[in-house]
Every structure is written in C-alpha cells, then in structure tokens.
Amino acid sequence: MENMAGLTRGLLTAARVASATDSDADAHDYGSLVWEMAEEGNGETALRCGSRLLESADALERKVGCDLVGNAASGHEALRSEAATALMALSEVETEAGVLVSLVCGLGWTRDPRAVPVLVACAGHELAELRCQVASQLAFVSSGLPDGPDVRALIRLTRDEDADVRDWAAFTLGFQREQDTTAIREALWRCTTDESGEVRHEGARGLARRHDPRSVPLIARLLGSDDRTRSFTLDAAAILGVPELLPALDTCEPGTPESDGAVAACDPARRARMEDDAWSVVMELERLCSGIGAALSSPRYESVHSMRVTHRETVGTGYDVAALLARAGGDPARAAELVAAEIPGPEGTDRRRLDHGPAPGDGHGDQDHPRRLPPADALEQARTGRSQGTGPNPPAAM
C-alpha cells in the first residue's frame, strides 16, 4: 500500500510538471510513468489507484486517473469491463474538457460497446481536440450496427469545421470500420472533394476498400503522388484489384511487399494463378487429411492476395496463402504438406508453425488496436504519419 501511494505521488508530480511546462519531454516522462504503473500487478495497481483518483475534486488528478484506468484496460483484457464502468460513471458528472479527452481515450482502450453513448455525446463538444479523440476511438468502440449512433457520429465528424477532426473521422470510417452502406459511401465520396488533401486521400482509400468504382481514378492519382501514407494507398489498390491501376503501380518503388502485393492483385494473370494455387492447396490438404475441413477465405476488406487456408484445427486463425506458397517454393502440394505437418498428432500436441504467425486481425492478441503509447509519443506519431497495419495512434491524451 505504501509503495502504491509513493507511485501515485510521483505520477501526480510528473503530471503537474508536464501540464505546467507543456514540454514534449515532460509529457513523455509522465506517459512512461503511467505505462510502468499499468504493468504493476497485472494492471490491478493502476486500476485501483486510477479509480480512486477519478473521485478527486482536482481536475488534473481525475485526468491522471483516466490515464491510469485506460492504460490498465489497454494492457489487461480482464480489467476492461471494470475500467469501462468506472470511466462511464465519471462521464455522467465530468465537465472539464481536458479530463474528458483522457476519459474518451481510456474508454477506447476498454473496447466496451457500452461506451458508445458517451463517445457520441462528446462528438458534439466545442473542443476540437476532444472531437478528434472521439473520431479515433470510435475505431475500437462500436455498436456493431451499420447505421448505429457511432457510425452516424463519424459521418457528422467528416463534415467537422476542423481539418484534423475530419481527417481522423474519414480514416476511422473508411479504413478502420468495415460497415458498408450508401450513407457511408456518400460521406467518403464527399471527403474526396475536401479542401484538405489528407481528408481527400482518406475518402478515396475508404471507397476503394468498399470496391467502389469511383475510387479507381482517385487511387491511380494517389499512387503517382509523393504521399507519406502511400502504404495505405497500396493496400487500397490491392483491395480494388483492377488492371486499370497497373500503369500507376509501375511508377511505385518495386520490390516492396506492399507494391508487389498490389501488382499481384491487379494483374489478372497473376491473380488467377494465385486463386488456382490456393484452391490446389485446399484440395491437396483434403487428400492428405481427409475430413479436416479445409477451406479458403478472402475477406472483403482485404486483397485477394490475403486469402487464407483454414481447417478445423486452426479455429480463428489460418495460413496466408502468399506466405505459405512462398515458403513452399510456389508448390501447392508442398504447401499442403507444410500445413498437414502442423495438424496436432494423436497425442494432441501442436507442432511448430512452419510458415509464420497468425495474420493481423485474426483474433490473436490486440493487433487491431494501436499499441498504447506515452502521450507525447502518440502525439508525435499523429504528426508524422500513421503507422502501417494497425491504423493510427490516437491523438495525445496529455
């Protein structure tokens, strides 16, 4: 208990220094302390200390409490429901905008759908920083409804007066969310004519993920531009998978996984060969292991190059076809043998994976949520460009 009190005092001192100096270095120091405390005792220390601070009469202490509770939830799934309950209780009485920024960030880390009404209410706040935080965290807190209040809030935020808010809303709606409705498409289409170049880019990529033909010339132009987020554009091109993009792809740097994957998806011959080889793997696996339930899946919001071979023993994961075939030297029969070799034997023991780990977003771990960062680091990544694969880090909470 004494150690917990000491940690809390040190954290509050760091928070006050960071607030007074407005220095990135001091904010980083504070964020590092929050991180360290969130790792103490499997997150229980941060959750308990943070929950007590949520009851403080001091706004800065409540803000620190939100940061602690949110980080505890981010790193420890078992604590998320309790953390969300504590933060939602504070939201009913909290009026300080600075505290609400940390509160919304913390609720995003809980991934609790009960938080949707809180985030939607904050989407109309006068502080742009708070609306920006809402736009980023609605990637991870969802009603699950294609026309839910969260989706409608994101659509409204794509028309926000602040360009950064519109940018985050367009990214979340277009690239992080997987709903597809006429209202979402029209919102993204409107983004393609925004005065902000970044918002225009997010609108085009969001439409491409939904295979909207209006996005083809837009993506072609983006591929020819010097865009710091080109990797996202290459992902969008691979999802579209149309030969009209091949001339634009020829201008991109060859030899990278992103550019090679986009070309393979857009080249009709290579795409057909990939599909044939993938099906051959499934057929050969069924021959080797009768009744294993081998199947092929190609998610709508991913490139055809992201097809996965699955079977009954893989549960929520699978084998990325491109990686598996590369491991097998392009031979579908050999690829099937690699998969068969990993099917548990009679003793029920798993053999070592031969191709690679689980694909992102397949249900293993928290790969589809940004790695939580000390606030200054999150701010720096937000300024310099979004990180590949997992989407943007949320705007800084401090």
Side-chain angles (χ1 to χ4, degrees), residues 81-93:
S81 179
E82 184 178 352
T85 298
L87 291 171
M88 286 188 293
L90 176 62
S91 74
E92 295 178 1
V93 296

Side-chain angles (χ1 to χ4, degrees), residues 216-245:
V216 174
L218 303 174
I219 294 298
R221 285 199 294 272
L222 279 180
L223 288 170
S225 67
D226 184 17
D227 181 10
R228 66 184 181 184
T229 55
R230 178 176 286 182
S231 58
F232 288 106
T233 305
L234 288 167
D235 285 345
I239 292 168
L240 277 172
V242 295
E244 291 88 342
L245 292 176

Side-chain angles (χ1 to χ4, degrees), residues 18-61:
S19 178
T21 64
D22 198 26
S23 158
D24 284 352
D26 289 333
H28 178 274
D29 290 343
Y30 163 73
S32 296
L33 287 175
V34 172
W35 181 304
E36 291 171 12
M37 198 165 180
E39 297 305 309
E40 287 277 332
N42 294 322
E44 290 281 353
T45 299
L47 181 61
R48 303 295 163 235
C49 289
S51 296
R52 279 196 287 273
L53 290 173
L54 296 183
E55 301 173 356
S56 172
D58 182 81
L60 182 64
E61 292 187 1

Side-chain angles (χ1 to χ4, degrees), residues 229-372:
T229 55
R230 178 176 286 182
S231 58
F232 288 106
T233 305
L234 288 167
D235 285 345
I239 292 168
L240 277 172
V242 295
E244 291 88 342
L245 292 176
L246 287 173
L249 286 167
D250 284 342
T251 67
C252 298
E253 180 183 359
T256 67
E258 294 85 4
S259 61
D260 288 351
V263 170
C266 292
D267 185 319
R270 290 181 63 177
R271 179 170 179 154
R273 185 164 60 250
M274 172 67 73
E275 291 173 341
D276 288 346
D277 287 348
W279 186 244
S280 295
V281 173
V282 170
M283 297 296 289
E284 181 65 13
L285 185 57
E286 280 287 357
R287 188 188 69 80
L288 292 173
C289 307
S290 178
I292 192 61
L296 193 62
S297 66
S298 182
R300 172 172 172 76
Y301 293 94
E302 295 182 27
S303 164
V304 66
H305 212 59
S306 298
M307 289 184 296
R308 295 187 185 96
V309 172
T310 62
H311 57 75
R312 194 169 292 119
E313 300 294 338
T314 56
V315 192
T317 184
Y319 296 79
D320 179 89
V321 170
L324 183 61
L325 285 168
R327 181 75 175 180
D331 182 358
R334 175 58 181 152
E337 291 173 358
L338 291 175
V339 175
E342 295 183 356
I343 295 173
E347 298 81 13
T349 56
D350 292 327
R351 296 181 176 88
R352 182 174 60 88
R353 292 193 68 84
L354 296 177
D355 61 325
H356 59 81
D362 63 11
H364 286 250
D366 288 345
Q367 301 177 60
D368 53 340
H369 192 288
R371 178 176 175 85
R372 69 192 194 282

